[in-house]
Amino acid sequence: MPLVPGRELLAEARRGGYAVGAFNFNNLEFLQAIVGAAGDAGRPVFLATSEGAISYAGLESVVALVRAAAAATPVPLCLHLDHGKNLDVIRRCIEFGYTSVMIDASDLPFEENVAKTRAVVELARPRGVSVEAELGRLVGVEDEVSVAERDAVLVDPEQAGEFVRLTGIDSLAPAVGTSHGAFKFKGEPKLDFDRLRLVAERTGGLPLVLHGASSVPDEVLARCRDAGVEVPGARGVPQDQLLEAIRLGVAKVNVDTDLRLEFVAGVRSALNEHPSRFDPREYLGPARDAVRALVGKRIRLLSNVK
Ligand code: PH4
Ligand code: ZN
């Protein structure tokens, strides 16, 4: 199947009341795991590459690998630039055939974020490439922080409506209390659902994106611990909160950390169990298969929202 624009997958997800998983990859094994899982589940996915992934793997290689995977896969795939900050990288991704790009200018003042995001929409639109942008800062917010502190970092719903009108983006990633990585919350995990509900209202049903959405499942942490990976205090977004976010308008859920944890547990346990093995296929292969199983489960969770 050819690569499809992100907005098509998101529109379908909003109509169906589910979310599409966006899974990051930096190498062949993760790509195979994600595409294999999407094929197993018969569901579309976003294949997300950060600027770091592109400099690690090379843009030409990323695009060639994804095109080959898409040609052999019966489900729609979208090749997406995650957290694009550099306009040259964004331009190159669009030229090389990405079907979705994120412009992350969320660290700039509102007007500058609007201007940079509009510039990307103008680059992307003529090529049919979809654009995601971000508002607010991706940081965990503890229960005890004041309203003012919370307002200072999380998305402002009124601004979100204005941002969408001024930029013409296809999807918005609002900061509602999640953060990247394995250590998202010091206390109880809790997204700001009231804020998310208001953002959905003010942005008129535009597909929303949840970043930092790994759930860091207990069973994955147990496999990490058993294999000797040290991640004390790791905590993610509980899966019932992911489902609530989808009910409120989230149509794309970004997951990277869970795959990394599952992969490192797989590699470490293969190496621990067979200290004499040094053929990479013998320790990367089992890790890849474990990631495929994890992604398959996550796709099914995100697809079956009641
Ligand atoms: N992402 C992944 C960002 C990966 O530079 P890099 O390749 O390390 O960036 O955008 C997410 O939202 C993933 O969230 P998670 O950490 O909860 O999986
Ligand atoms: Zn992110």
Side-chain angles (χ1 to χ4, degrees):
M1 252 192 167
L3 295 171
V4 299
R7 74 172 74 81
E8 289 180 14
L9 301 185
L10 298 180
E12 193 66 39
R14 290 294 291 132
R15 275 195 293 275
Y18 62 89
V20 183
F23 302 99
N24 290 70
F25 73 97
N26 294 270
N27 65 6
L28 177 67
E29 283 74 17
F30 276 59
L31 176 64
Q32 290 177 329
I34 299 162
V35 171
D40 296 342
R43 312 293 301 203
V45 287
F46 282 75
L47 299 166
T49 60
S50 64
E51 290 183 349
I54 290 171
S55 57
Y56 178 79
L59 184 59
E60 290 85 348
S61 302
V62 165
V63 172
L65 286 171
V66 167
R67 287 229 169 94
T73 308
V75 292
L77 303 174
C78 170
L79 176 55
H80 174 73
L81 172 66
D82 191 24
H83 293 285
K85 286 184 174 273
N86 180 319
L87 286 180
D88 285 335
V89 174
I90 295 174
R91 205 172 283 118
R92 272 169 39 87
C93 287
I94 293 170
E95 277 165 18
F96 272 73
Y98 275 56
T99 49
S100 174
V101 291
M102 174 184 188
I103 163 69
D104 177 358
S106 58
D107 53 341
L108 299 178
F110 182 76
E111 289 73 21
E112 290 174 44
N113 189 352
V114 168
K116 202 166 172 189
T117 301
R118 271 185 72 124
V120 171
V121 170
E122 276 158 26
L123 282 175
R125 196 59 89 233
R127 307 289 286 265
V129 176
S130 308
V131 179
E132 171 184 329
E134 179 168 317
L135 267 185
R137 294 201 354 247
L138 284 181
V139 288
V141 178
E142 310 308 326
D143 266 352
E144 58 272 17
V145 305
S146 68
V147 171
E149 282 171 304
R150 184 174 280 265
D151 284 348
V153 292
L154 299 185
V155 65
D156 172 344
E158 300 302 330
Q159 274 196 344
E162 200 187 341
F163 187 79
V164 168
R165 277 190 299 282
L166 292 172
T167 57
I169 50 173
D170 299 292
S171 58
L172 177 71
V176 289
T178 61
S179 62
H180 289 147
F183 307 94
K184 299 186 189 299
F185 305 98
K186 286 201 195 75
E188 277 312 294
K190 198 165 178 308
L191 304 196
D192 191 335
F193 290 119
D194 293 337
R195 192 175 297 264
L196 184 59
R197 190 176 292 108
L198 281 176
V199 170
E201 278 171 24
R202 300 292 188 273
T203 56
L206 188 86
L208 302 177
V209 177
L210 191 65
H211 280 252
S214 274
S215 56
V216 190
D218 287 344
E219 67 271 19
V220 177
L221 284 182
R223 281 194 283 279
C224 283
R225 272 192 298 273
D226 291 348
V229 185
E230 292 171 11
V231 277
R235 187 168 289 179
V237 181
Q239 299 196 345
D240 58 334
Q241 295 197 29
L242 292 179
L243 299 181
E244 182 60 11
I246 296 168
R247 286 184 207 103
L248 293 175
V250 165
K252 171 172 173 278
V253 170
N254 282 20
V255 186
D256 182 13
T257 296
D258 285 347
L259 283 66
R260 295 180 181 197
L261 291 170
E262 190 73 275
F263 194 78
V264 74
V267 171
R268 290 281 283 264
S269 68
L271 292 173
N272 293 342
E273 280 163 31
H274 307 284
S276 61
R277 289 190 183 166
F278 52 86
D279 179 338
R281 292 167 295 193
E282 292 177 349
Y283 55 87
L284 299 181
R288 174 189 61 186
D289 297 345
V291 172
R292 179 175 179 153
L294 176 134
V295 173
K297 264 203 231 160
R298 194 62 48 84
I299 292 173
R300 289 187 186 88
L301 176 86
L302 303 177
S303 317
N304 292 309
V305 182
K306 302 272 170 356

